[in-house]
Amino acid sequence: MCSSCVMLFNEKNGSILPEYTALPALQTGEILVKNKYTTLCGSDLHTFTGRRKEPSPIVLGHEIVGEILELSQSEPFYDLNGNILKEGDLITWTIFAATDTDEFVRDKMPQKSAGLFKYGHVQFTENEKFNGGLGTHCVLKKGTGILKVPSSIDEKFAPIINCAGATAMAAYRLVSQIESKNVLILGAGVLGLIAAAIAKQKKASSVTVIDIDDRRLEKSKSFGADYIYNSSNPIEELTQITSGFYKKGFDVVIDMSGSIEAIKTGLQFSAVGAEHIWIGAVTPTESIEVNAEVMIRKLLSIKGMHNYNYEDFINAVSFFENHFSDYPFGTFIEKEFPLQETLEAFQYAIKHKPYRVLITI
């Protein structure tokens, strides 16, 4: 493999081919990272299959871990915890960079900044080359939230933290209380399983996970799920659960699936005062009818969360630092491919639907 290159995805023909190019000179505030590992997120797969549109050609990949190679200035750089960054540090970073003068940054919504820069989502151009995970290097922009990877976290798992992990943590920031509450999680993918583990650690009274895949549902038990329900089965099965332990319904419902039917099920089994957090529907989908009287009489609330903020990212890294060995997070990596086999990695992920495919660089 080359010393500096990227795997370039072209939407027109679906190709992923190496592009050999020299490293750029760093601008003030930038950091050059040598990528070590990148995991293929669901949004990467959606772009590859055409379900999601991104500028093309593009260097995909935003779940990344790498080592600092060069800092652009002599003044010290700090991570989000106030630690000085230096060459050789193993780091992961927010999927976005945002300027601190933006009103959305001030309102703790940096992921909606007007001048937002998103790694793995920017067109490859003469001036923008190393900006994704599927390349040998990545240039970090000023306004990127950076954290050192704690030694207690397997570095092959660590890329998942800066997308799925931080997004799951963001869901709980929106919930007023988890302790002693009945939590329903829609979707047993990476997001859902991480959310189950967080709920368990936050002392939820119970955690129920819904999915259509029995294998994933069974796996969710090792991530804190007390009850599971295959939504392709008769709704009476879930009714039996709610009529017993959950007779009043679920207090917190978090959708990680993007499934309209699953979201409807969550609304149907709401307890009085239930809080709904919708995260999974990040591609175009149909509308959902919500009965206003039911919303009012049952005191329900619905909040959406897209990506996460700096606080969520910090809390996610802290969570995995403290609990990585408590759950089988390392099993999320089901297959590894070298960078030069990126196309084969995408094909494998689409065919076999693993939790995550890892690209080693």
Side-chain angles (χ1 to χ4, degrees):
M1 199 63 192
C2 68
S3 58
S4 60
C5 68
V6 296
M7 300 300 292
L8 205 57
F9 171 67
N10 193 315
E11 181 190 27
K12 292 180 179 179
N13 56 20
S15 65
I16 298 181
L17 296 172
E19 179 76 18
Y20 304 95
T21 182
L23 294 173
L26 295 181
Q27 303 298 310
T28 301
E30 294 182 340
I31 296 176
L32 178 64
V33 173
K34 185 181 187 303
N35 294 338
K36 286 196 70 175
Y37 302 106
T38 296
T39 42
L40 299 184
C41 179
S43 62
D44 295 316
L45 302 181
H46 291 161
T47 302
F48 180 76
T49 58
R51 184 178 177 186
R52 177 185 178 124
K53 297 297 182 182
E54 295 285 6
S56 178
I58 188 171
V59 182
L60 295 172
H62 53 269
E63 294 184 340
I64 321 167
V65 160
E67 292 181 355
I68 295 178
L69 278 187
E70 183 183 349
L71 305 167
S72 63
Q73 60 202 49
S74 58
E75 291 83 359
F77 283 79
Y78 296 91
D79 73 2
L80 291 175
N81 285 327
N83 300 308
I84 292 179
L85 296 170
K86 61 184 184 302
E87 293 180 6
D89 282 343
L90 183 69
I91 60 170
T92 187
W93 54 92
T94 53
I95 62 175
F96 58 82
T99 57
D100 56 11
T101 56
D102 188 280
E103 63 176 317
F104 284 104
V105 176
R106 295 195 300 270
D107 292 339
K108 296 185 177 182
M109 294 184 289
Q111 70 273 39
K112 295 301 171 185
S113 169
L116 193 70
F117 182 95
K118 292 188 73 174
Y119 298 98
H121 295 74
V122 178
Q123 188 171 28
F124 179 90
T125 67
E126 184 62 31
N127 297 322
E128 281 293 348
K129 296 180 178 181
F130 293 94
N131 50 37
L134 297 178
T136 54
H137 300 77
C138 193
V139 176
L140 305 191
K141 307 289 187 180
K142 185 177 180 181
T144 302
I146 301 171
L147 285 171
K148 296 183 182 182
V149 177
S151 59
S152 60
I153 301 174
D154 184 344
E155 60 185 39
K156 290 187 176 182
F157 167 84
I160 295 173
I161 299 174
N162 86 332
C163 185
T167 301
M169 193 60 70
Y172 289 98
R173 176 168 51 84
L174 301 184
V175 179
S176 59
Q177 181 182 335
I178 292 296
E179 186 173 353
S180 302
K181 298 295 185 179
N182 293 322
V183 177
L184 175 63
I185 295 171
L186 310 175
V190 171
L191 274 165
L193 296 186
I194 293 174
I198 295 173
K200 183 60 66 173
Q201 290 303 136
K202 288 182 175 290
K203 300 181 180 180
S205 178
S206 65
V207 179
T208 299
V209 176
I210 287 181
D211 202 277
I212 58 173
D213 187 320
D214 284 330
R215 180 182 71 92
R216 292 194 168 195
L217 284 170
E218 190 62 30
K219 188 178 182 69
S220 70
K221 293 178 181 178
S222 61
F223 287 87
D226 300 296
Y227 300 92
I228 57 175
Y229 165 66
N230 189 315
S231 55
S232 62
N233 293 336
I235 197 68
E236 285 76 19
E237 290 187 16
L238 186 57
T239 302
Q240 290 171 6
I241 295 176
T242 58
S243 64
F245 197 77
Y246 301 115
K247 61 182 179 180
K248 294 182 179 180
F250 296 98
D251 304 301
V252 177
V253 181
I254 300 175
D255 175 62
M256 299 297 197
S257 69
S259 164
I260 298 303
E261 292 306 313
I263 292 172
K264 290 178 180 178
T265 298
L267 289 169
Q268 179 181 348
F269 287 88
S270 298
V272 171
E275 296 175 276
H276 293 257
I277 311 299
W278 293 353
I279 289 177
V282 291
T283 55
T285 187
E286 63 185 276
S287 299
I288 299 175
E289 289 187 3
V290 178
N291 187 288
E293 182 186 5
V294 173
M295 287 284 296
I296 292 167
R297 292 192 181 278
K298 295 190 74 171
L299 310 178
L300 304 183
S301 65
I302 299 173
K303 295 181 180 179
M305 173 54 65
H306 182 225
N307 296 150
Y308 55 87
N309 65 19
Y310 298 116
E311 174 189 349
D312 303 320
F313 181 51
I314 293 172
N315 290 336
V317 171
S318 176
F319 174 81
F320 289 107
E321 179 180 16
N322 295 325
H323 300 293
F324 185 78
S325 61
D326 295 333
Y327 302 91
F329 292 115
T331 61
F332 286 162
I333 306 300
E334 298 189 73
K335 187 75 171 179
E336 297 183 30
F337 291 85
L339 182 61
Q340 61 266 32
E341 295 180 11
T342 295
L343 177 59
E344 291 83 351
F346 273 93
Q347 293 170 339
Y348 179 90
I350 291 167
K351 180 179 180 180
H352 297 282
K353 296 179 174 58
Y355 289 100
R356 281 294 188 273
V357 163
L358 180 74
I359 306 295
T360 59
I361 303 160

